[in-house]
Amino acid sequence: MKADTHPEYHMITVQMTDGTTFQTRSTWGSEGDTLALDIDPTSHPAWTGGSQRVLQEGGRVAQFNKRFGGLSLKKK
């Protein structure tokens, strides 16, 4: 195996959006740097169960009829 192929790991501090911090090993930055997160499990809707939309109500035919139900092929 080639020498020096693995990245250098060092200790950094990760700061969550709520201000809490923890130490971890990472290849990001340099020794002692602080990584401030914009989105994390305490604020992102995927983890917090935030507002969710139901994309489809009914089937595809019901959706089509809802959208184009007033149109007809009959001549007036």
Side-chain angles (χ1 to χ4, degrees):
M1 188 161 172
K2 292 182 180 179
D4 299 326
T5 59
H6 293 285
E8 294 293 324
Y9 281 91
H10 46 270
M11 294 301 288
I12 66 166
T13 303
V14 178
Q15 182 178 7
M16 308 282 268
T17 56
D18 64 356
T20 59
T21 61
F22 65 92
Q23 296 256 328
T24 188
R25 288 173 28 103
S26 176
T27 60
W28 179 86
S30 58
E31 181 78 28
D33 282 351
T34 300
L35 174 63
L37 298 179
D38 294 331
I39 298 173
D40 63 16
T42 61
S43 66
H44 195 277
W47 288 288
T48 61
S51 62
Q52 297 175 350
R53 292 186 344 190
V54 175
L55 296 179
Q56 285 188 353
E57 294 178 9
R60 300 296 293 167
V61 174
Q63 188 177 11
F64 179 86
N65 287 335
K66 180 180 175 185
R67 188 169 182 187
F68 300 107
L71 299 176
S72 66
L73 296 175
K74 297 179 185 176
K75 292 187 178 186
K76 295 182 179 182

